[in-house]
Amino acid sequence: FFAILGPLSYKSAISSLKEQAQNHLISVREIKKGQIESYFSERKGDVCVLSKSPLIVEGLPKFIETFHSRGPTSPEYKQIEDTYGNELAYYVKQYGYHDLILTDTDGDIVFAAENKAYLGINVTQGGMEGSNIVQAFKAGMLRIELTDFAYYEPFNELTAFISAPVRDKAGKTIGVLIFQIPFRQVDRIMSERAGLGETGETYLVGEDMLMRSNSRFTTEVSALKLQVDTEAARDAMEGNDGVKIIRDYRNIPVLSAYGIINIENFFWAILCEIDASEAFKPAIRLRRWALLIGGSIIGGIAIYGYLIYRRFTNELTSQDSSLRTQDS
């Protein structure tokens, strides 16, 4: 009974525990994926709505005209800034952006809600040529554009931009609205480890196989520095979802649930991982107990069998002696 039922029950229980661990990681991955997609969807909604609002459509031409004719330090510019700029600066703080920038069609920055040092800089020149703000401006002349995170020297940190064309009532593009998106918002979402135990983490990987969030296993910045060229990351970049045991970027066996996030015009892989030793701890514990209990039962049966055998052989010996006595 134990020889047949025991292994079957153990195999079924182990399979169930492993499936439970996999399903849990998949659930966490999907929650994080939904949060990231929602975050950028909201950013797209912000830039779409604000670029068509009277605040921008009416204010941008006045900023452009006054900036070029009077300069950003003139009383006339200050008056327009008081009329439109204060509300735009409040918008930036309320929704957690680094900055809100308005440019004319040549790329000249005519308004910045936070960093006034931007004023007068042309985004295609002035040391910004290699920045992702150039991509945001050029694409923003035509459509809503979200850039991937990149190192942005003026803020000495990772920054992304989302932009949209600003059009007058006739539909003519008069400039570009650009939001500067802080890295900390995305990293905060990914660093939340509820339900991931002691060794679990979720992180993002870009198409260049570099992290787009920070590793929980280092105090240093790993985003855009730490390469994650693992089996799971490569499979995710091919557009696949999956769960498997792999060696992670630390070369440690982990259970990895991975997938792809399609954010506008670029891809990120999302990986939710936990050390295999922790993920399968219930299964390992069950195996120990199964071996202990099974061994105890087998040992007990062996001892019982041995005692029965001894009793039986003693009875046979006694009977044999009695027969010999009778024969004598």
Side-chain angles (χ1 to χ4, degrees), residues 230-248:
T230 64
E231 181 184 354
R234 291 192 298 270
D235 199 25
M237 280 301 171
E238 293 178 2
N240 300 317
D241 291 346
V243 184
K244 61 177 66 174
I245 298 175
I246 63 160
R247 286 193 172 272
D248 68 358

Side-chain angles (χ1 to χ4, degrees), residues 285-299:
R285 189 182 298 118
L286 175 62
R287 181 172 62 188
R288 288 200 193 116
W289 278 105
L291 291 174
L292 178 61
I293 294 172
S296 299
I297 292 173
I298 292 172

Side-chain angles (χ1 to χ4, degrees), residues 67-68 72 77 81 92 97-104 107-128 131-134 150-161 178-182:
F67 178 86
H68 287 297
Y77 185 92
E81 191 174 37
V92 169
Y97 291 102
H98 261 328
D99 213 339
L100 181 156
I101 297 168
L102 295 175
T103 75
D104 60 17
D108 293 322
I109 298 176
V110 298
F111 172 79
E114 292 295 322
N115 193 345
K116 303 304 178 183
Y118 283 159
L119 288 175
I121 295 177
N122 188 288
V123 296
T124 63
Q125 303 170 11
M128 291 190 174
S131 168
N132 49 351
I133 195 174
V134 179
Y151 180 76
Y152 191 58
E153 189 171 350
F155 272 87
N156 194 30
E157 67 175 37
L158 301 180
T159 300
F161 294 93
I178 303 174
F179 278 123
Q180 187 175 352
I181 301 173

Side-chain angles (χ1 to χ4, degrees), residues 266-282:
F266 57 88
F267 293 95
W268 281 346
I270 180 169
L271 298 98
C272 181
E273 297 176 343
I274 187 170
D275 287 7
S277 58
E278 182 178 3
F280 300 126
K281 185 181 292 184

Side-chain angles (χ1 to χ4, degrees), residues 1-247:
F1 175 80
F2 284 109
I4 297 173
L5 183 60
L8 290 176
S9 300
Y10 170 75
K11 184 176 180 181
S12 176
I14 289 292
S15 177
S16 177
L17 288 172
K18 288 184 176 180
E19 184 178 355
Q20 183 180 358
Q22 292 173 351
N23 290 338
H24 178 69
L25 276 191
I26 292 172
S27 296
V28 176
R29 180 197 69 194
E30 292 304 303
I31 289 171
K32 294 293 185 183
K33 179 179 177 179
Q35 289 175 333
I36 293 295
E37 290 176 341
S38 294
Y39 176 77
F40 284 106
S41 178
E42 289 170 3
R43 305 289 76 77
K44 182 178 179 180
D46 288 346
V47 75
C48 180
V49 170
L50 194 60
S51 66
K52 298 174 183 177
S53 72
L55 189 66
I56 296 293
V57 175
E58 295 175 7
L60 180 55
K62 295 178 181 180
F63 275 118
I64 293 173
E65 194 279 327
T66 308
F67 178 86
H68 287 297
S69 63
R70 303 289 183 177
T73 59
S74 66
E76 292 83 358
Y77 185 92
K78 184 68 169 60
Q79 183 179 0
I80 294 172
E81 191 174 37
D82 290 341
T83 303
Y84 298 97
N86 291 336
E87 192 169 346
L88 293 174
Y90 174 79
Y91 194 97
V92 169
K93 293 178 180 178
Q94 185 71 16
Y95 291 94
Y97 291 102
H98 261 328
D99 213 339
L100 181 156
I101 297 168
L102 295 175
T103 75
D104 60 17
T105 54
D106 294 325
D108 293 322
I109 298 176
V110 298
F111 172 79
E114 292 295 322
N115 193 345
K116 303 304 178 183
Y118 283 159
L119 288 175
I121 295 177
N122 188 288
V123 296
T124 63
Q125 303 170 11
M128 291 190 174
E129 299 92 326
S131 168
N132 49 351
I133 195 174
V134 179
Q135 174 191 345
F137 165 72
K138 291 181 177 179
M141 287 285 293
L142 304 172
R143 61 185 181 275
I144 293 176
E145 177 81 357
L146 173 66
T147 73
D148 198 347
F149 281 100
Y151 180 76
Y152 191 58
E153 189 171 350
F155 272 87
N156 194 30
E157 67 175 37
L158 301 180
T159 300
F161 294 93
I162 188 167
S163 57
V166 179
R167 298 185 173 97
D168 60 18
K169 294 180 180 179
K172 179 183 177 182
T173 299
I174 57 175
V176 178
L177 164 65
I178 303 174
F179 278 123
Q180 187 175 352
I181 301 173
F183 170 71
R184 65 175 181 270
Q185 302 283 11
V186 170
D187 196 48
R188 184 162 56 226
I189 293 172
M190 301 309 296
S191 62
E192 172 57 45
R193 297 193 300 109
L196 286 174
E198 295 296 322
T199 62
E201 67 170 339
T202 54
Y203 58 93
L204 300 168
V205 178
E207 294 178 78
D208 53 7
M209 308 307 288
L210 296 176
M211 276 193 173
R212 290 301 190 276
S213 57
N214 286 320
S215 167
R216 60 153 299 196
F217 296 105
T218 177
T219 57
E220 299 179 356
V221 175
S222 53
L224 279 180
K225 292 184 178 180
L226 183 59
Q227 188 174 43
V228 185
D229 191 13
T230 64
E231 181 184 354
R234 291 192 298 270
D235 199 25
M237 280 301 171
E238 293 178 2
N240 300 317
D241 291 346
V243 184
K244 61 177 66 174
I245 298 175
I246 63 160
R247 286 193 172 272

